[in-house]
Amino acid sequence: MEKDASFLFGGISFNRKKFARDFDRFKGKIQVDSAEKLNFIDKEDKTIDDSLEKVEFVENEISGMEDGTSTSVSKKRKRKEKGKVPDVEGFSVFKSSKLKEEAASEETDQSVNELLQGKKEYYQQLERDAIFRKMHNIHVSGSNIPSPLLNFSELRSRYECRSYLLRNLAKLGFKEPTPIQRQTIPVLLSGRECFACAPTGSGKTFAFVFPVLMKLKHTSKDGVRAVILSPTKELAAQTTRECKKLARKKFYIRLMTKQLAKSGDFSKLRCDVLISTPLRLKFAIQKRKLDLSRVEYLVLDESDKLFEPGMLEQVDFVVKACTNPSILRSLFSATLPDIVEDRARTIMHDAVRVIIGRKNSASETIEQKLVYVGSEEGKLLALRQSFAESLNPPVLVFVQNKERAKELYDELKLEDIRADVIHSDLSQIQRENAIDNFRAGKTWVLIATDVVARGMDFKGVNCVINYDFPDAAAAYIHRIGRSGRAGRSGQAITFYTEADIPFLRNIANVITSSGGEVPEWIMSLTKKKWRKHRPRRETISTQPDI
Ligand SMILES: Nc1ncnc2c1ncn2[C@@H]1O[C@H](COP(=O)(O)OP(=O)(O)OP(=O)(O)O)[C@@H](O)[C@H]1O
C-alpha cells in the first residue's frame, strides 16, 4: 500500500501558473483557517499547553508580518494587489489612487499588526491565568472565564471596589483570597452565573457574599435585590452574621426568622439582602406576599442539599418567584454531584464551572481514621476510652438521629465532661444557645445530628467523631469538614460496626482521595451504591435492660 501511495504522489509538481485561480482559492482557505484560529475562544478547561500553543501561533504570525513570510494577511497580498494596477504615466488620477492604495494597505498592515499584538497579549494572559490556576488547584470550564484574583487589591484596580468593603475585609484579617474566592469573585463580578465546588472550610461564604455586596453598590428602597438560600436555619443565621460583618451599616441584611415569615410587612420593610431557608421563604411569598421580582442575585448555598427531594420543590418555588430576567444565579457546595449540575444547567445561562482541588473530596487538612468497634456497645466504650486518653476539646460527635442524640447525651451528661446536645426537637433558642456555648468554649463536647453537619463554621474544632456511620459519602465530607477549617488541622474518627462494613469502601475512597491511608482489605471491598445507609441501631445505654 505504502509503495502504491508513494508511487501515486511521487514526482508530482503543482503547476502554479496553470492553476493560478485554484491556487489563490487555496491560499484564501489558509487565510480563513488562520483567522478562525485567531478567533478561537476556549470552550473547555484552558490548559497551559493550549495557551502556549496559541501564544506561539500569534508570535509566528507577528514575526511573519515582520519578515514577510506570514501565511495570513501578508505583504504578498499587497504586492499582488499592487501588480494589478496598470502603471500609466501622465495620468495623475491613477498615480494618486496608487498612493492612496499604498497608504491604505500600510494602514491595514498596521491595524492587523495591532490586532495580532492584542491577540498575543490575550493569549499571554491566558497562559498566566492557566499557570496561576494550576498553582492554586483551580479548575474551570466555560467560555471567556475572567482571570483569577492575584490579591485583594485587584478588587479595587480591576473592579473599582468601594473602599468601605476593602476596609471591612481588612478588619476581618483576611490577607489573601482563598482559591475559591480568587476565581468565583471575578466570575460573579463580570456578570456570569456559576457552579462552584470547593472543600469544606475554604471560604465559600465570602466568595458569594463579597461580589453580591459589590454589585448591589448602594442600599435601595426597591425591595429585596439578593437572596441567599441555606438548607438550615443555623446556617442561614451564620451567613447573615458573616454578611453583616462585610456590609456593616451600608445595606439592610435580613435573616428570615419564623416571626418575619409569619407576620412581616414586606411592603414596608427595607431589605437589600435576604437570607433564608427555602421553606420559610416559600411561606413568606405565599402568605405575606413577599415580592422577589427585583431579585438580581440568587445564591444556592449547599446547593446539593437544596436539590434533595423534600427541599427541591420549595427551592423550585423560590427560583420561579425570582422573575427578573437578568437575575444571576450561583451554586456553591463542597459536594456537587453530577445530577445536581445537570439539573442546574437547565436553568442557568452560560455558567462557569469552578472546582477547587478534586470534586467531592474532603479537606486535606483533616487526618481521617476508621475505627472498628464491633457492636453498638463497643462504640460507647471506644468513646469513653478516647476521652480518657486525650480529650482535646472542642469535639463534635455525630449520631444518626435525634433519639440517639438524646440517648448519648443522657449517657455523657453525668460524667465529668462538659457535654451538650443539638437536634431538631429543641427550640430555636435552645439550638442557638447550644451553638453559642460550643463556640465560646463553654461546651467541650457537642453531640449533634446532621443539622449542624453542613456549613457551620465552629472555629477550631479539633476532632469530629462519627459515632454513627454517615448515611452517604457527601454527609461524611460535610460532617468531618467541621474541623480542619481555614487551613487549620483537624482530626476525624469514624466508628464502624459489622452493619457498616458494606459501605466502608465509599468512605475509604474519600479518605484516599484526600491523601489519607486506608487498610488494603477495605480498598478491596466492592463499592456499594448506597441510598441513605441508616440501619436500625440498638439503644445507646450502659444501663442493663429490665
Ligand atoms: N480569605 C480568607 N482568609 C482567611 N480566612 C478566611 C478567608 N475567607 C474566609 N475565611 C474564614 O474561613 C472560615 C471558613 O469559611 P466558610 O465558612 O466560608 O467555609 P465554606 O467553604 O463555606 O465551608 P463549608 O463547606 O463547610 O460551608 C471562616 O472562619 C472564614 O471567616
Coordinates of all heavy atoms in Angstrom, one line a residue, residues 9-78:
F9 N 2.0 9.6 -5.6 CA 2.3 11.0 -5.3 C 3.7 11.4 -5.7 O 4.0 12.6 -5.8 CB 2.0 11.4 -3.9 CG 0.6 11.3 -3.6 CD1 0.1 10.2 -2.8 CD2 -0.3 12.3 -4.0 CE1 -1.3 10.2 -2.6 CE2 -1.6 12.2 -3.7 CZ -2.2 11.2 -3.0
G10 N 4.6 10.4 -6.0 CA 6.0 10.8 -6.2 C 6.1 11.6 -7.5 O 5.5 11.3 -8.5
G11 N 7.0 12.6 -7.5 CA 7.3 13.3 -8.6 C 6.3 14.3 -9.1 O 6.5 15.0 -10.1
I12 N 5.2 14.4 -8.5 CA 4.1 15.3 -9.0 C 4.5 16.7 -8.6 O 4.8 17.0 -7.4 CB 2.8 15.0 -8.4 CG1 2.3 13.7 -9.1 CG2 1.8 16.1 -8.6 CD1 0.9 13.2 -8.7
S13 N 4.5 17.6 -9.5 CA 4.7 19.0 -9.1 C 3.5 19.9 -9.6 O 2.9 19.6 -10.6 CB 6.0 19.6 -9.7 OG 5.8 19.6 -11.1
F14 N 3.1 20.8 -8.7 CA 1.9 21.6 -9.0 C 2.2 22.8 -9.9 O 3.1 23.6 -9.6 CB 1.4 22.1 -7.6 CG 0.1 22.7 -7.7 CD1 -1.1 21.9 -7.9 CD2 -0.1 24.1 -7.5 CE1 -2.3 22.5 -7.9 CE2 -1.3 24.6 -7.6 CZ -2.4 23.9 -7.8
N15 N 1.5 22.9 -11.0 CA 1.7 23.9 -12.0 C 1.0 25.2 -11.5 O -0.2 25.3 -11.8 CB 1.3 23.5 -13.4 CG 1.6 24.5 -14.4 OD1 1.8 25.7 -14.1 ND2 1.7 24.0 -15.7
R16 N 1.7 26.1 -10.8 CA 1.0 27.2 -10.2 C 0.5 28.2 -11.2 O -0.6 28.8 -11.0 CB 2.0 28.0 -9.3 CG 2.3 27.2 -8.1 CD 3.2 28.1 -7.1 NE 3.5 27.3 -6.0 CZ 3.9 27.7 -4.9 NH1 4.0 29.0 -4.7 NH2 4.2 27.0 -3.9
K17 N 1.2 28.3 -12.4 CA 0.7 29.2 -13.4 C -0.6 28.8 -14.0 O -1.6 29.5 -14.0 CB 1.8 29.3 -14.5 CG 2.5 30.6 -14.5 CD 3.4 30.7 -15.7 CE 4.2 32.0 -15.6 NZ 5.3 32.0 -16.6
K18 N -0.6 27.4 -14.3 CA -1.8 26.9 -15.0 C -3.0 26.9 -14.0 O -4.1 27.2 -14.5 CB -1.5 25.4 -15.4 CG -2.5 24.8 -16.3 CD -2.0 23.5 -16.8 CE -3.2 22.7 -17.5 NZ -2.8 21.4 -17.7
F19 N -2.7 26.6 -12.8 CA -3.9 26.6 -11.8 C -3.9 27.8 -10.9 O -4.2 27.7 -9.7 CB -3.8 25.3 -11.0 CG -3.8 24.0 -11.9 CD1 -2.7 23.3 -12.1 CD2 -5.0 23.6 -12.4 CE1 -2.7 22.1 -12.9 CE2 -5.1 22.5 -13.2 CZ -3.9 21.7 -13.5
A20 N -3.5 28.9 -11.4 CA -3.3 30.1 -10.6 C -4.6 30.4 -9.8 O -4.5 30.7 -8.6 CB -3.0 31.3 -11.5
R21 N -5.8 30.3 -10.5 CA -7.0 30.6 -9.8 C -7.3 29.7 -8.6 O -7.7 30.1 -7.5 CB -8.2 30.6 -10.7 CG -8.2 31.9 -11.6 CD -9.3 31.9 -12.6 NE -10.6 32.1 -12.0 CZ -11.7 32.0 -12.6 NH1 -11.7 31.7 -13.9 NH2 -12.8 32.2 -12.0
D22 N -7.1 28.4 -8.9 CA -7.3 27.4 -7.8 C -6.3 27.7 -6.7 O -6.7 27.6 -5.5 CB -7.1 26.0 -8.3 CG -8.2 25.6 -9.3 OD1 -9.3 26.2 -9.2 OD2 -8.0 24.8 -10.1
F23 N -5.1 28.0 -7.0 CA -4.1 28.2 -6.0 C -4.5 29.4 -5.1 O -4.3 29.3 -3.9 CB -2.7 28.5 -6.7 CG -1.6 28.6 -5.8 CD1 -1.2 27.4 -5.1 CD2 -0.9 29.8 -5.6 CE1 -0.1 27.5 -4.2 CE2 0.1 29.8 -4.7 CZ 0.5 28.7 -4.0
D24 N -5.0 30.5 -5.8 CA -5.4 31.6 -5.0 C -6.5 31.2 -4.0 O -6.6 31.7 -2.9 CB -6.0 32.7 -5.9 CG -4.8 33.6 -6.4 OD1 -3.7 33.4 -5.9 OD2 -5.0 34.5 -7.3
R25 N -7.5 30.4 -4.5 CA -8.6 30.0 -3.6 C -8.0 29.2 -2.5 O -8.5 29.3 -1.3 CB -9.6 29.1 -4.4 CG -10.6 30.0 -5.1 CD -11.4 29.2 -6.1 NE -12.0 28.0 -5.5 CZ -12.4 27.0 -6.2 NH1 -12.3 27.0 -7.5 NH2 -13.0 26.0 -5.6
F26 N -7.0 28.3 -2.8 CA -6.4 27.5 -1.7 C -5.8 28.4 -0.7 O -5.9 28.2 0.5 CB -5.4 26.6 -2.4 CG -4.6 25.8 -1.4 CD1 -5.3 24.8 -0.6 CD2 -3.3 25.9 -1.2 CE1 -4.6 24.0 0.3 CE2 -2.6 25.2 -0.3 CZ -3.2 24.2 0.5
K27 N -5.1 29.5 -1.2 CA -4.4 30.4 -0.3 C -5.5 31.1 0.6 O -5.3 31.3 1.8 CB -3.6 31.5 -1.1 CG -2.2 31.1 -1.2 CD -1.3 32.3 -1.5 CE -1.8 33.4 -2.3 NZ -0.9 34.3 -2.8
G28 N -6.6 31.5 0.0 CA -7.7 32.1 0.7 C -8.1 31.2 1.8 O -8.4 31.7 2.9
K29 N -8.2 29.9 1.6 CA -8.7 29.0 2.6 C -7.7 29.0 3.8 O -8.1 29.0 4.9 CB -8.7 27.6 2.0 CG -9.0 26.4 2.9 CD -10.5 26.2 3.1 CE -10.7 25.0 4.0 NZ -10.6 25.2 5.4
I30 N -6.4 29.1 3.5 CA -5.4 29.1 4.6 C -5.7 30.3 5.4 O -5.6 30.3 6.6 CB -4.0 29.1 4.0 CG1 -3.7 27.7 3.4 CG2 -3.0 29.4 5.1 CD1 -2.3 27.6 2.8
Q31 N -5.9 31.5 4.7 CA -6.2 32.7 5.4 C -7.4 32.6 6.3 O -7.4 33.0 7.5 CB -6.3 33.9 4.5 CG -5.0 34.3 3.9 CD -5.1 35.2 2.8 OE1 -6.2 35.8 2.6 NE2 -4.1 35.4 2.0
V32 N -8.5 32.0 5.8 CA -9.7 31.8 6.6 C -9.3 30.9 7.8 O -9.7 31.3 9.0 CB -10.8 31.2 5.8 CG1 -12.0 30.8 6.7 CG2 -11.3 32.2 4.8
D33 N -8.6 29.8 7.6 CA -8.3 28.9 8.7 C -7.5 29.7 9.8 O -7.7 29.5 11.0 CB -7.4 27.8 8.2 CG -8.3 26.8 7.5 OD1 -9.5 26.9 7.5 OD2 -7.7 25.8 6.9
S34 N -6.5 30.5 9.3 CA -5.7 31.3 10.3 C -6.6 32.2 11.1 O -6.5 32.3 12.3 CB -4.7 32.1 9.6 OG -3.9 31.2 8.8
A35 N -7.5 32.9 10.4 CA -8.4 33.8 11.1 C -9.2 33.1 12.1 O -9.4 33.6 13.2 CB -9.3 34.6 10.1
E36 N -9.7 31.9 11.7 CA -10.5 31.1 12.6 C -9.8 30.8 13.9 O -10.2 30.8 15.0 CB -11.0 29.8 12.0 CG -12.3 30.0 11.2 CD -12.7 28.9 10.4 OE1 -12.0 27.8 10.5 OE2 -13.7 29.0 9.6
K37 N -8.5 30.4 13.6 CA -7.6 30.0 14.7 C -7.4 31.2 15.7 O -7.5 31.1 16.9 CB -6.3 29.5 14.2 CG -5.5 28.8 15.3 CD -4.5 27.9 14.7 CE -3.8 27.1 15.8 NZ -2.7 26.3 15.2
L38 N -7.3 32.4 15.1 CA -7.1 33.6 15.9 C -8.3 33.9 16.7 O -8.2 34.4 17.8 CB -6.7 34.8 15.0 CG -5.3 34.8 14.5 CD1 -5.2 35.9 13.4 CD2 -4.4 35.1 15.6
N39 N -9.5 33.6 16.1 CA -10.7 33.9 16.9 C -11.1 32.8 17.9 O -12.1 32.9 18.5 CB -11.9 34.1 15.9 CG -11.7 35.5 15.3 OD1 -11.3 36.4 15.9 ND2 -12.1 35.5 14.0
F40 N -10.2 31.8 18.0 CA -10.6 30.7 18.8 C -10.8 31.2 20.3 O -10.0 31.9 20.8 CB -9.4 29.7 18.8 CG -9.6 28.5 19.6 CD1 -10.3 27.4 19.2 CD2 -9.1 28.5 20.9 CE1 -10.5 26.4 20.0 CE2 -9.3 27.4 21.7 CZ -10.0 26.3 21.3
I41 N -11.9 30.7 20.8 CA -12.1 31.0 22.3 C -12.3 29.7 23.0 O -13.1 28.8 22.5 CB -13.4 31.9 22.4 CG1 -13.1 33.3 21.8 CG2 -13.7 32.1 23.9 CD1 -14.3 34.1 21.7
D42 N -11.7 29.5 24.1 CA -11.8 28.3 24.8 C -13.2 27.9 25.2 O -13.9 28.8 25.6 CB -11.0 28.3 26.1 CG -9.5 28.4 25.8 OD1 -9.1 27.5 25.2 OD2 -8.9 29.4 26.3
K43 N -13.5 26.7 25.0 CA -14.8 26.2 25.4 C -14.7 25.4 26.7 O -15.5 25.3 27.5 CB -15.5 25.4 24.3 CG -15.9 26.2 23.1 CD -17.2 26.8 23.3 CE -17.8 27.5 22.1 NZ -17.0 28.5 21.5
E44 N -13.6 24.7 26.8 CA -13.4 23.8 27.9 C -12.2 24.3 28.8 O -11.7 25.4 28.5 CB -13.2 22.4 27.4 CG -14.4 21.7 27.1 CD -15.4 21.5 28.2 OE1 -15.0 21.1 29.3 OE2 -16.6 21.9 28.0
D45 N -11.8 23.5 29.7 CA -10.6 23.8 30.6 C -9.5 24.4 29.7 O -9.1 23.8 28.7 CB -10.1 22.5 31.2 CG -10.5 22.4 32.6 OD1 -11.1 23.4 33.1 OD2 -10.2 21.4 33.3
K46 N -8.9 25.5 30.2 CA -7.8 26.1 29.5 C -6.5 25.4 30.1 O -6.2 25.6 31.2 CB -7.8 27.6 29.7 CG -8.9 28.2 29.0 CD -9.0 29.7 29.4 CE -10.1 30.3 28.7 NZ -11.3 29.6 28.8
T47 N -5.8 24.7 29.3 CA -4.6 24.1 29.8 C -3.5 25.0 29.4 O -3.5 25.8 28.5 CB -4.4 22.7 29.2 OG1 -4.2 22.9 27.8 CG2 -5.5 21.8 29.5
I48 N -2.4 24.9 30.1 CA -1.2 25.7 29.8 C -0.7 25.4 28.4 O -0.4 26.3 27.7 CB -0.1 25.4 30.8 CG1 -0.6 25.7 32.2 CG2 1.2 26.2 30.5 CD1 0.3 25.3 33.3
D49 N -0.7 24.1 28.0 CA -0.3 23.8 26.7 C -1.1 24.5 25.6 O -0.5 25.0 24.7 CB -0.4 22.3 26.5 CG 0.7 21.5 27.2 OD1 1.6 22.2 27.7 OD2 0.6 20.3 27.3
D50 N -2.4 24.5 25.8 CA -3.3 25.2 24.9 C -2.8 26.7 24.7 O -2.7 27.1 23.6 CB -4.7 25.3 25.4 CG -5.5 24.1 24.9 OD1 -5.0 23.3 24.2 OD2 -6.7 24.1 25.3
S51 N -2.7 27.3 25.8 CA -2.4 28.8 25.8 C -1.0 29.0 25.1 O -0.9 29.9 24.3 CB -2.4 29.3 27.2 OG -3.5 28.9 27.9
L52 N -0.1 28.1 25.5 CA 1.3 28.3 25.0 C 1.2 28.1 23.4 O 1.8 28.9 22.7 CB 2.2 27.2 25.5 CG 2.8 27.5 26.9 CD1 3.5 26.2 27.4 CD2 3.8 28.6 26.8
E53 N 0.5 27.2 23.0 CA 0.4 26.9 21.5 C -0.2 28.2 20.8 O 0.3 28.6 19.8 CB -0.6 25.7 21.3 CG -0.5 25.2 19.9 CD -1.5 24.1 19.7 OE1 -1.4 23.0 20.4 OE2 -2.5 24.3 19.0
K54 N -1.2 28.8 21.5 CA -1.8 30.0 20.8 C -0.9 31.1 20.9 O -0.8 31.9 19.9 CB -3.1 30.3 21.6 CG -4.2 29.4 21.2 CD -5.3 29.5 22.1 CE -6.0 28.1 22.4 NZ -6.6 28.1 23.6
V55 N -0.1 31.3 22.0 CA 0.8 32.4 22.0 C 1.9 32.2 20.9 O 2.2 33.1 20.2 CB 1.5 32.5 23.4 CG1 2.6 33.5 23.4 CG2 0.5 32.8 24.5
E56 N 2.4 31.0 20.8 CA 3.3 30.6 19.8 C 2.8 31.0 18.4 O 3.5 31.6 17.6 CB 3.6 29.1 19.9 CG 5.1 28.8 19.9 CD 5.3 27.4 20.2 OE1 4.9 26.6 19.3 OE2 5.7 27.0 21.3
F57 N 1.6 30.6 18.2 CA 1.0 30.8 16.9 C 0.9 32.3 16.5 O 1.3 32.7 15.5 CB -0.5 30.2 16.9 CG -1.2 30.5 15.6 CD1 -0.9 29.8 14.5 CD2 -2.1 31.6 15.5 CE1 -1.6 30.1 13.3 CE2 -2.8 31.9 14.3 CZ -2.5 31.1 13.2
V58 N 0.5 33.1 17.5 CA 0.4 34.5 17.3 C 1.8 35.1 17.1 O 2.0 36.0 16.2 CB -0.4 35.2 18.4 CG1 -0.5 36.7 18.1 CG2 -1.8 34.7 18.5
E59 N 2.7 34.6 17.9 CA 4.1 35.1 17.7 C 4.6 34.8 16.3 O 5.2 35.7 15.7 CB 5.0 34.4 18.8 CG 5.1 35.2 20.0 CD 5.8 34.5 21.2 OE1 6.1 33.3 21.0 OE2 6.0 35.1 22.2
N60 N 4.3 33.7 15.8 CA 4.7 33.3 14.4 C 4.1 34.3 13.4 O 4.7 34.7 12.5 CB 4.4 31.9 14.1 CG 5.2 30.9 14.8 OD1 6.3 31.3 15.3 ND2 4.8 29.7 14.9
E61 N 2.8 34.5 13.7 CA 2.1 35.4 12.8 C 2.7 36.8 12.8 O 2.9 37.4 11.7 CB 0.6 35.6 13.2 CG -0.2 34.4 13.0 CD -0.3 34.0 11.5 OE1 -0.8 34.9 10.8 OE2 0.0 32.9 11.2
I62 N 3.1 37.3 14.0 CA 3.7 38.6 14.0 C 5.1 38.6 13.4 O 5.4 39.5 12.6 CB 3.7 39.1 15.5 CG1 2.3 39.4 15.9 CG2 4.6 40.4 15.6 CD1 2.1 39.8 17.3
S63 N 5.9 37.6 13.7 CA 7.2 37.6 13.1 C 7.1 37.4 11.5 O 7.8 38.0 10.8 CB 8.1 36.6 13.7 OG 7.6 35.3 13.4
G64 N 6.0 36.7 11.1 CA 5.7 36.5 9.7 C 5.4 37.9 9.1 O 5.9 38.2 8.0
M65 N 4.7 38.7 9.8 CA 4.4 40.1 9.4 C 5.7 40.8 9.2 O 5.8 41.6 8.3 CB 3.5 40.8 10.4 CG 2.1 40.3 10.5 SD 1.1 40.9 9.2 CE 1.3 42.6 9.3
E66 N 6.6 40.6 10.2 CA 7.8 41.4 10.1 C 8.8 41.0 9.0 O 9.3 41.8 8.3 CB 8.5 41.3 11.5 CG 7.9 42.3 12.5 CD 8.0 41.9 13.9 OE1 8.8 40.9 14.2 OE2 7.4 42.5 14.8
D67 N 8.9 39.6 8.8 CA 9.9 39.2 7.8 C 9.2 38.9 6.5 O 9.8 38.4 5.5 CB 10.7 38.1 8.2 CG 10.0 36.8 8.5 OD1 8.8 36.7 8.1 OD2 10.5 35.9 9.2
G68 N 7.9 39.1 6.4 CA 7.2 39.0 5.1 C 6.8 37.5 4.8 O 6.5 37.2 3.7
T69 N 6.8 36.6 5.8 CA 6.5 35.2 5.5 C 5.2 34.8 6.1 O 4.9 33.6 6.1 CB 7.6 34.3 6.0 OG1 7.7 34.5 7.4 CG2 8.9 34.5 5.3
S70 N 4.4 35.7 6.6 CA 3.2 35.3 7.3 C 2.2 34.7 6.3 O 2.2 35.0 5.2 CB 2.6 36.6 7.9 OG 1.2 36.3 8.3
T71 N 1.5 33.7 6.8 CA 0.6 32.9 5.9 C -0.8 33.6 5.9 O -1.6 33.3 5.0 CB 0.4 31.5 6.4 OG1 0.1 31.5 7.8 CG2 1.6 30.7 6.1
S72 N -1.1 34.4 6.9 CA -2.4 35.0 6.9 C -2.5 36.3 6.1 O -2.2 36.2 4.9 CB -2.9 35.2 8.3 OG -2.0 36.1 9.0
V73 N -2.7 37.4 6.7 CA -2.8 38.6 5.9 C -1.4 39.1 5.7 O -0.7 39.5 6.7 CB -3.6 39.7 6.6 CG1 -3.9 40.8 5.7 CG2 -4.9 39.1 7.1
S74 N -0.8 39.1 4.5 CA 0.6 39.4 4.4 C 0.9 40.4 3.3 O 0.0 40.8 2.6 CB 1.3 38.1 4.1 OG 1.0 37.8 2.8
K75 N 2.2 40.7 3.3 CA 2.6 41.7 2.3 C 2.5 41.1 0.9 O 2.4 41.9 -0.1 CB 4.0 42.1 2.6 CG 4.1 43.1 3.7 CD 5.5 43.6 3.9 CE 5.5 44.5 5.1 NZ 6.8 44.8 5.7
K76 N 2.5 39.8 0.8 CA 2.4 39.2 -0.5 C 1.1 39.7 -1.2 O 1.1 40.0 -2.4 CB 2.3 37.6 -0.4 CG 3.6 37.0 -0.2 CD 3.3 35.5 -0.1 CE 4.5 34.8 0.6 NZ 4.1 33.5 1.1
R77 N 0.0 39.7 -0.4 CA -1.2 40.2 -0.9 C -1.1 41.6 -1.4 O -1.6 42.0 -2.5 CB -2.3 40.1 0.2 CG -3.7 40.2 -0.4 CD -4.7 39.7 0.5 NE -5.5 40.8 1.0 CZ -6.2 40.7 2.1 NH1 -6.3 39.5 2.7 NH2 -6.9 41.7 2.5
K78 N -0.4 42.4 -0.6 CA -0.2 43.8 -1.0 C 0.5 43.9 -2.4 O 0.0 44.6 -3.3 CB 0.6 44.5 0.1 CG 0.5 46.0 0.0 CD 1.3 46.6 1.1 CE 2.8 46.7 0.7 NZ 3.6 47.2 1.8

